[in-house]
Amino acid sequence: MATAVITPERENYLNQEYGIKSWLLTVDHKRIALLYLVSITFFFFIGGFFALLIRLELLTPAGDLVQADTYNKLFTMHGQVMIFFFLIPSIPAVLGNFLVPLMIGAKDLAFPRLNLLSWYLYIIAGALMLHCICTGGVDTGWTFYTPFSTAFSNTKVVEAGVAIFIAGFSSILTGLNFVVTIHRMRAPGMTWDRLPLFIWAHYATSVIQLLGTPVLAITLLLVVFERVFHLGIFDPTRGGDPLLFQHLFWFYSHPAVYIMILPAMAVESEVIACFTRKRIFGYKFVAMSSIAIAVFGFLVWAHHMFVAGISLYSALIFSALSYLVAVPSAIKVFNWTATMYKGSITFTTPMLYAFGFIGLFTMGGLTGLFLAALGIDVHVTDTYFVIAHFHYIMVGGAVMGYLGGLHFWWPKISGRMYPEWLGKFAALIVFLGFNLTFFPQFILGYMGMPRRYWQYPPEFQVLNVLSTAGSTILAVGYVLPMVYFLWSMRYGKPATENPWNAAGLEWKTSSPPPTFNFDQPPVVDFEAYDYEHIPEVEEVPVG
Amino acid sequence: MSEHVLSSKMYYGIWIALMILTVVTARVAFIDLGPFNTVVALVIATGKALLVVLFFMHVKYASEKLVKMVIVASIFWLLLLLLLSLADYGTRYARHG
Amino acid sequence: MADSTATPVHGPELLHHFSTAQQQRDAASLGMWLFLGTEIMFFGGMFLAYLIYRLLYFNEFAAGSRSLDIWLGTINTIVLICSSLTVALGVRAAQMGKRKLLVILLLLTLIFGLAFLGIKGVEWYAKYKEHHIPGMSFDAGDLIRDYPQIHIDPAHEQIYFSLYFAMTGLHALHMIIGVGMFTYLLYHSMKGRYGPEYYTPIEMGGLYWHFVDVVWIYLFPLLYLIDRKPLG
């Protein structure tokens, strides 16, 4: 406390207290964000490890590295870890947790202890998942389809189900905290039409978390009951309907895609406005499109079930409704592009990720329209076309957004600059590695290579080799930022309050911020993205 | 929010109404109304739920619309789940019959 | 927004990151309502399963419903409604600063809550005796004998009872959590912690309790009253 005289560093949330206890019992949203950062990074590398094993196995047509049983577990646990333990919490729990109170001028989230509880729930769920992985794993596919999961699989379905059930509660609590915070904790003058688009998108995300996740919870609970007590709710031999499980599962799991992608869109709005030095074109449309995505996202779930045996009539309805989601998504892409038009663009690392995001998300979204079309979907269902499509959304979209955001706010989070040239280099590697990994899969899928098999006919090998090669490049691209972020925490150039000369309340406090975020309670008397009124100063610092 | 205190008389009134509705719904179930047995049961249940939500939970006296919005949105989402699923189940078995 | 002109005087119950007690109460209230919204969707998944199977297997649902004890079901509904009344009056007592009355009302609520769980246990035990618990040794033979007029498939009958136990079981779990919550509230009311200036926990606990009551208000007709009219 009294060291202010000795060290030049001012008191902030990082140096106010030291020791394990000050972290594990913290209720500061910024520290909890860092706890999340460490834990989801851990799971990201576990999920990535499974992905590399999958790609290695698919290097050759024969099953030489692993056999079918192991392969089934690999893709299952890759999916479960990446979706429920990395992507769902990634941007909301790390960047959202850190930035939502800062951006609206609050001292903390509305329920700080609930926030910590949500991290502990995540850790309990993660520990259970790890235990499940280490003691044999699951082989149902991340989707837990019945009756395989309830009657046939002899792997640890119950344990994985319970782990994801608990992780779901963690996600619900984060969403609940955000909605209450955005409604109740805004600084004076921070009206709804002055909210950063980051906040709007997180609001929409939280609504999905609140309304969708409980349905997943009850569905997994019913699967666990059915497996343990042999009920028959989803078992066709006992009069149950497996499609009912799929309806319930996709009612959450389709909107869950928007839990992953909306926060990435949140990041891009901030980054693009800052590095084009312009107000986001059509602010209101972009804000409302987030809400529209949250609502429309719940109307389309059965497009995952076109070939599963739902009625043709309902398939037509869901196919038509699926096109609806394209409208708000396109609004966002067009408005970002319009924002860049005649802007003074700076090619920093976060901006490179933003460019990557727009391109890859557009490809992922457009191929999503292929899949929404009933006729084409019947042709490519369960092929690598689907795999490529959703990796373009989730990895090309969500992970790009996450990395871009992490670079953009790293000076605020750590108080240090990362090395800019290395950042750009890593961004380039990620972009190249990503496309090399997943673009061949579009072609493979269209040629008819099915997903979830450990072997394939030899004529598919060339494209599979390309994909595997790409995945190793992608892995390098992901390890690099981790290395230089760690390096920068000690050796990076100290960051100023506002290194990007950006608009937004979070840049009006010191880097890193003090424990209660602002020395003086902020009063907002300016619009969001007020770049016309921010004087252009010296060029953006290069670390 | 619910700063002003409601009279205890009103609470007792709501309570008596809930008791009467409970007895009514249990008795009506034994009378053959054809398909309307279910309708009556659900209408009475919704009436009771409304009494509890509006008066016991003070929603009628909430000063802002937000709480009402949360309730309406949750029920709307529940209906989405039920009705869009019925779009499948309502038409799936048609060709067999 | 809750930023009023009042200067932020921090009372003992006001957490540091709120500026006013009003803001803190509004945040708690919104948080509780959002939580109840998620609860609607949580039970909603089971309501969907119920709806679909009731449409598909109406005979079995009707027979299963007839086998439940309508007297105990009605009495339990009345018990819960009484507990909701005591909770509502309890919040009022806290608002008016009648601390003794608050303690009595919370105690009554707890007694009603435990009575509900006790009666529920009696009903479940009866189902156990009748081999109506899905899974091991499930037997719908008695229903097939009792209702020769309608065709009953034992597998479909088991689905009815699966949903019956899932829905009443999760409802009872919510009741148990509620009883725990109210034990906590009772303890702190006896210490005189709640009064007109601070009664948010009582109010929030009350919202939860009423919600669990509302769920039962629907479960009662959906499970007990499917088809009670005389068989033709």
Side-chain angles (χ1 to χ4, degrees):
Chain A
M1 286 283 189
T3 52
V5 190
I6 305 162
T7 70
E9 214 173 350
R10 50 167 288 163
E11 192 171 277
N12 60 54
Y13 80 103
L14 288 171
N15 66 10
Q16 201 190 24
E17 275 184 289
Y18 292 101
I20 289 278
K21 239 176 107 180
S22 78
W23 283 91
L24 293 184
L25 297 179
T26 182
V27 288
D28 179 358
H29 66 103
K30 300 181 288 301
R31 285 193 165 207
I32 294 171
L34 287 193
L35 291 176
Y36 265 115
L37 176 65
V38 173
S39 25
I40 71 162
T41 305
F42 173 74
F43 278 102
F44 177 71
F45 282 102
I46 289 188
F49 174 69
F50 290 137
L52 283 180
L53 286 181
I54 291 171
R55 281 319 318 166
L56 267 181
E57 165 54 39
L58 294 178
L59 191 59
T60 60
D64 28 30
L65 180 67
V66 293
Q67 287 307 312
D69 286 353
T70 318
Y71 186 79
N72 292 344
K73 290 180 180 172
L74 284 179
F75 70 68
T76 299
M77 293 182 300
H78 165 70
Q80 288 175 346
V81 167
M82 282 302 204
I83 288 170
F84 295 110
F85 294 91
F86 172 69
L87 281 168
I88 297 275
S90 62
I91 300 179
V94 177
L95 295 173
N97 230 331
F98 195 94
L99 292 164
V100 166
L102 277 167
M103 282 186 169
I104 62 172
K107 284 185 190 161
D108 205 321
L109 287 171
F111 308 117
R113 278 176 297 186
L114 207 63
N115 196 21
L116 183 66
L117 173 68
S118 118
W119 181 72
Y120 274 105
L121 286 175
Y122 172 85
I123 289 298
I124 292 169
L128 207 56
M129 193 72 211
L130 274 184
H131 181 260
C132 169
I133 289 169
C134 296
T135 54
V138 208
D139 68 348
T140 59
W142 78 277
T143 48
F144 287 105
Y145 270 16
T146 56
F148 181 71
S149 61
T150 52
F152 298 105
S153 172
N154 47 15
T155 53
K156 305 224 158 187
V157 178
V158 170
E159 207 175 328
V162 172
I164 292 169
F165 178 84
I166 298 173
F169 274 94
S170 159
S171 172
I172 289 175
L173 293 184
T174 304
L176 191 149
N177 226 334
F178 284 179
V179 172
V180 175
T181 306
I182 294 168
H183 271 288
R184 300 294 194 214
M185 311 289 284
R186 281 171 285 133
M190 182 54 95
T191 53
W192 285 90
D193 50 7
R194 282 177 180 167
L195 280 182
L197 292 165
F198 186 92
I199 301 294
W200 273 105
H202 271 78
Y203 187 83
T205 309
S206 305
V207 169
I208 304 176
Q209 285 175 311
L210 284 171
L211 293 168
T213 320
V215 178
L216 176 78
I218 189 67
T219 311
L220 290 176
L221 211 57
L222 288 177
V223 166
V224 168
F225 284 166
E226 169 136 351
R227 194 175 159 86
V228 174
F229 301 115
H230 309 287
L231 301 183
I233 299 177
F234 302 128
D235 185 349
T237 60
R238 296 162 196 263
D241 180 21
L243 280 183
L244 178 64
F245 168 83
Q246 296 186 22
H247 275 300
L248 287 167
F249 180 82
W250 288 113
F251 181 82
Y252 165 77
S253 295
H254 188 77
V257 176
Y258 306 113
I259 299 181
M260 306 174 209
I261 199 70
L262 270 171
M265 294 167 159
V267 169
E268 301 319 342
S269 293
E270 302 299 311
V271 169
I272 289 169
C274 174
F275 295 114
T276 48
R277 322 269 346 134
K278 276 173 73 183
R279 184 178 160 83
I280 287 283
F281 182 84
Y283 167 90
K284 277 195 177 141
F285 278 91
V286 179
M288 283 305 134
S289 66
S290 292
I291 306 296
I293 287 176
V295 177
F296 294 168
F298 278 97
L299 307 178
V300 305
W301 76 82
H303 67 217
H304 295 266
M305 305 159 60
F306 283 160
V307 299
I310 58 171
S311 78
L312 183 61
Y313 174 77
S314 66
L316 288 173
I317 292 179
F318 277 104
S319 176
L321 286 173
S322 297
Y323 287 104
L324 268 184
V325 189
V327 177
S329 312
I331 287 177
K332 283 192 190 285
V333 170
F334 288 137
N335 283 15
W336 289 326
T337 323
T339 308
M340 285 189 240
Y341 179 67
K342 287 191 176 170
S344 64
I345 299 178
T346 328
F347 292 90
T348 54
T349 310
M351 194 59 182
L352 290 186
Y353 279 111
F355 280 121
F357 174 93
I358 294 179
L360 300 180
F361 171 75
T362 304
M363 279 188 71
L366 285 178
T367 49
L369 288 181
F370 292 23
L371 292 167
L374 192 45
I376 302 178
D377 183 77
V378 171
H379 176 67
V380 293
T381 286
D382 274 341
T383 68
Y384 265 81
F385 191 85
V386 178
I387 304 285
H389 153 69
F390 71 70
H391 280 89
Y392 265 74
I393 298 285
M394 293 182 191
V395 185
V399 179
M400 283 274 189
Y402 172 65
L403 284 176
L406 212 51
H407 284 84
F408 187 56
W409 284 289
W410 187 252
K412 188 54 70 184
I413 294 172
S414 69
R416 303 279 180 158
M417 301 302 291
Y418 59 87
E420 182 65 31
W421 68 273
L422 247 171
K424 283 182 190 163
F425 179 63
L428 204 66
I429 290 187
V430 167
F431 186 78
L432 291 177
F434 174 84
N435 280 298
L436 190 56
T437 310
F438 292 106
F439 194 80
Q441 298 185 2
F442 276 127
I443 306 168
L444 280 171
Y446 215 77
M447 286 160 66
M449 179 167 161
R451 67 192 283 200
R452 293 183 170 173
Y453 280 86
W454 78 113
Q455 318 171 301
Y456 53 85
E459 60 261 35
F460 291 142
Q461 193 176 8
V462 176
L463 288 167
N464 269 299
V465 169
L466 284 181
S467 183
T468 303
S471 67
T472 54
I473 297 175
L474 191 56
V476 173
Y478 286 149
V479 172
L480 264 180
M482 197 179 79
V483 173
Y484 62 71
F485 276 146
L486 284 173
W487 175 87
S488 76
M489 279 166 75
R490 198 174 173 92
Y491 304 104
K493 206 179 90 187
T496 58
E497 192 172 276
N498 187 358
W500 312 116
N501 199 23
L505 273 184
E506 79 269 30
W507 302 107
K508 294 191 189 305
T509 184
S510 52
S511 305
T515 299
F516 296 135
N517 294 347
F518 300 96
D519 296 331
Q520 295 294 322
V523 177
V524 182
D525 52 2
F526 49 87
E527 303 300 310
Y529 311 112
D530 198 16
Y531 283 103
E532 302 98 281
H533 298 110
I534 294 181
E536 196 64 49
V537 284
E538 76 288 18
E539 80 235 37
V540 173
V542 175
Chain B
M1 292 189 54
S2 45
E3 281 289 12
H4 60 275
V5 180
L6 305 174
S7 83
S8 59
K9 254 190 209 149
M10 198 205 63
Y11 287 127
Y12 287 115
I14 301 295
W15 175 66
I16 289 169
L18 288 170
M19 300 288 263
I20 292 172
L21 285 173
T22 304
V23 175
V24 168
T25 192
R27 293 300 296 270
V28 165
F30 289 92
I31 305 166
D32 190 350
L33 301 173
F36 289 100
N37 276 101
T38 310
V39 177
V40 170
L42 282 178
V43 166
I44 292 180
T46 305
K48 285 161 76 182
L50 273 176
L51 287 179
V52 172
V53 171
L54 289 179
F55 295 98
F56 282 179
M57 296 168 95
H58 297 163
V59 169
K60 187 166 187 274
Y61 306 98
S63 49
E64 51 173 2
K65 291 205 182 83
L66 192 55
V67 166
K68 286 167 196 159
M69 261 176 68
V70 172
I71 299 171
V72 170
S74 311
I75 292 170
F76 174 73
W77 251 263
L78 177 63
L79 290 179
L80 278 185
L81 173 64
L82 300 182
L83 294 179
L84 280 174
S85 301
L86 277 184
D88 173 20
Y89 285 93
T91 53
R92 198 195 299 168
Y93 301 95
R95 65 185 156 207
H96 302 304
Chain C
M1 281 290 307
D3 47 287
S4 63
T5 46
T7 47
V9 182
H10 277 231
E13 306 292 358
L14 184 60
L15 296 168
H16 73 270
H17 58 293
F18 292 110
S19 4
T20 61
Q22 182 68 38
Q23 187 190 25
Q24 181 172 347
R25 192 185 312 159
D26 286 350
S29 161
L30 178 60
M32 188 40 115
W33 277 104
L34 287 171
F35 173 72
L36 297 183
T38 69
E39 288 275 40
I40 290 181
M41 296 309 289
F42 185 74
F43 281 99
M46 281 186 297
F47 281 123
L48 175 64
Y50 170 89
L51 175 66
I52 300 301
Y53 290 127
R54 178 177 163 155
L55 290 174
L56 290 178
Y57 309 134
F58 184 78
N59 284 348
E60 288 82 355
F61 271 54
S65 167
R66 278 170 196 276
S67 80
L68 301 181
D69 190 327
I70 191 166
W71 278 105
L72 290 182
T74 311
I75 290 171
N76 244 355
T77 312
I78 287 170
V79 166
L80 264 197
I81 288 172
C82 292
S83 76
S84 257
L85 174 71
T86 54
V87 167
L89 291 174
V91 173
R92 184 171 175 274
Q95 281 176 326
M96 296 171 68
K98 297 180 177 166
R99 288 171 194 214
K100 257 201 189 129
L101 184 63
L102 172 63
V103 170
I104 293 169
L105 287 166
L106 290 180
L107 203 62
L108 276 175
T109 309
L110 271 178
I111 292 170
F112 283 130
L114 290 171
F116 176 90
L117 287 169
I119 293 173
K120 200 74 235 162
V122 170
E123 285 189 74
W124 282 339
Y125 184 68
K127 291 285 118 189
Y128 168 75
K129 294 288 253 189
E130 293 164 12
H131 293 280
H132 283 169
I133 297 202
M136 290 144 291
S137 80
F138 178 80
D139 183 16
D142 53 337
L143 295 178
I144 295 171
R145 266 193 311 283
D146 291 352
Y147 306 111
Q149 302 94 324
I150 48 181
H151 176 259
I152 295 173
D153 181 330
H156 301 166
E157 194 60 64
Q158 180 167 263
I159 290 184
Y160 169 78
F161 281 106
S162 300
L163 287 171
Y164 167 76
F165 278 101
M167 291 167 112
T168 57
L170 280 176
H171 179 265
L173 179 69
H174 280 80
M175 287 295 296
I176 292 169
I177 293 168
V179 165
M181 213 185 257
F182 271 72
T183 312
Y184 170 90
L185 292 176
L186 178 66
Y187 174 74
H188 283 283
S189 325
M190 278 155 68
K191 289 174 120 185
R193 192 166 160 206
Y194 307 120
E197 65 294 329
Y198 180 67
Y199 57 90
T200 311
I202 301 275
E203 208 182 1
M204 298 305 116
L207 288 180
Y208 175 85
W209 192 276
H210 291 309
F211 172 80
V212 179
D213 185 14
V214 168
V215 172
W216 182 259
I217 284 175
Y218 278 98
L219 287 185
F220 175 61
L222 289 180
L223 293 171
Y224 288 76
L225 307 178
I226 293 178
D227 187 20
R228 290 270 176 188
K229 55 191 176 236
L231 281 172

